[in-house]
């Protein structure tokens, strides 16, 4: 589960404002990419894109239910004041070590 927060309109020319998409048939387009190494590199198949409806419906509170599960923990990812430069694409290397994946013992090199 990933939960993210940001202003609807950041005022940054590099960001698109999040607008009321409740009257659209497809919602708001999104893209995402991730990796499992501390190095910034091409994401290959670790990517997602699609559409999300961000307005108009009250979503179920799945996170609250998930947090009641024994063994589930959370971490706050805090913006470290990275200034996005005036370029079409910008990347920043930032790694947060959360330990071994669930079900894998510390020191297991699977």
């Amino acid at each position: 589960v990933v939960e993210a927060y940001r202003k609807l309109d950041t005022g940054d020319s590099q960001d698109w404002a999040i607008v009321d998409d409740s009257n659209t048939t497809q919602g708001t387009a999104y893209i995402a990419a991730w990796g499992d190494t501390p190095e910034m590199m091409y994401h290959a198949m670790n990517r997602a894109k699609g559409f999300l409806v961000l307005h108009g419906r009250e979503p179920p509170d799945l996170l609250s239910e998930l947090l009641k599960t024994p063994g589930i923990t959370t971490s706050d990812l805090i913006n470290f004041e990275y200034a996005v430069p005036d370029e079409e694409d910008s990347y920043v290397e930032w790694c947060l070590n959360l330990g071994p994946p669930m079900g894998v013992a510390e020191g297991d090199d699977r």
Side-chain angles (χ1 to χ4, degrees):
V1 174
V2 174
E3 186 175 53
Y5 299 88
R6 64 159 263 195
K7 291 180 179 181
L8 295 176
D9 187 350
T10 65
D12 186 325
S13 64
Q14 299 290 311
D15 292 337
W16 287 48
I18 298 174
V19 297
D20 184 353
D21 59 1
S22 60
N23 292 326
T24 67
T25 57
Q26 60 188 13
T28 299
Y30 76 91
I31 58 171
W34 59 92
D36 57 2
T37 67
E39 292 82 29
M40 183 75 66
M41 63 180 61
Y42 181 66
H43 48 72
M45 297 304 293
N46 294 337
R47 63 180 184 256
K49 65 179 180 175
F51 294 90
L52 296 170
V53 176
L54 301 173
H55 292 85
R57 295 191 285 254
E58 186 63 35
D61 192 1
L62 300 176
L63 183 59
S64 291
E65 291 302 312
L66 181 65
L67 291 175
K68 294 177 187 175
T69 306
I72 297 293
T73 60
T74 64
S75 296
D76 290 328
L77 303 176
I78 307 299
N79 179 351
F80 55 95
E81 299 182 18
Y82 172 71
V84 178
D86 292 331
E87 299 173 7
E88 185 173 322
D89 292 322
S90 174
Y91 300 92
V92 61
E93 284 194 42
W94 183 64
C95 181
L96 175 65
N97 185 353
L98 299 176
M102 194 172 5
V104 177
E106 189 77 43
D108 187 343
D109 292 332
R110 281 191 241 186

